[in-house]
């Protein structure tokens, strides 16, 4: 969900779509030249996230984490899983 939110919110959607990873097994969510971005999303105010060990070390010049805090949805409507 966080990746889609970032894409939808981007001022340059074409560029971010081109940088979006091709495989679910990729180390990071977005790649652009020698930079990478991992997106984490939570509804918890403490913003605790889980990472794979190899995501925390990289030979890339720049790698970043975007932490997206969302409001819990308490509605009775359909969810993304529906």
């Amino acid at each position: 969900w966080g990746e889609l939110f970032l894409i939808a919110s981007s001022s340059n959607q074409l560029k971010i779509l081109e940088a979006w990873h091709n495989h679910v097994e990729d180390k990071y969510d977005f790649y652009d030249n020698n930079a990478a971005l991992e997106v984490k999303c939570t509804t918890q105010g403490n913003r605790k996230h889980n990472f794979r060990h190899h995501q925390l070390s990289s030979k890339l010049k720049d790698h970043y984490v975007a932490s997206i805090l969302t409001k819990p949805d308490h509605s009775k409507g359909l969810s993304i899983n529906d």
Side-chain angles (χ1 to χ4, degrees), residues 19-42:
W20 200 11
H21 64 94
N22 292 319
H23 306 284
V24 72
E25 302 88 17
D26 285 344
K27 186 173 182 175
Y28 300 107
D29 296 322
F30 297 92
Y31 293 94
D32 185 33
N33 296 322
N34 203 23
L37 173 65
E38 176 65 17
V39 177
K40 299 294 186 185
C41 188
T42 184

Side-chain angles (χ1 to χ4, degrees), residues 7-76:
I7 292 167
S9 303
S10 175
S11 62
N12 192 340
Q13 290 179 338
L14 181 58
K15 182 172 176 104
I16 200 162
L17 280 170
E18 290 171 349
W20 200 11
H21 64 94
N22 292 319
H23 306 284
V24 72
E25 302 88 17
D26 285 344
K27 186 173 182 175
Y28 300 107
D29 296 322
F30 297 92
Y31 293 94
D32 185 33
N33 296 322
N34 203 23
L37 173 65
E38 176 65 17
V39 177
K40 299 294 186 185
C41 188
T42 184
T43 58
Q44 305 300 311
N46 59 14
R47 289 191 175 190
K48 288 185 179 179
H49 300 292
N50 294 315
F51 293 88
R52 292 178 286 167
H53 181 264
H54 71 276
Q55 287 180 303
L56 301 175
S57 62
S58 176
K59 294 180 181 178
L60 292 172
K61 179 182 174 194
D62 298 305
H63 61 281
Y64 304 93
V65 174
S67 175
I68 300 172
L69 180 64
T70 63
K71 185 175 98 178
D73 184 10
H74 300 290
S75 69
K76 301 289 183 192

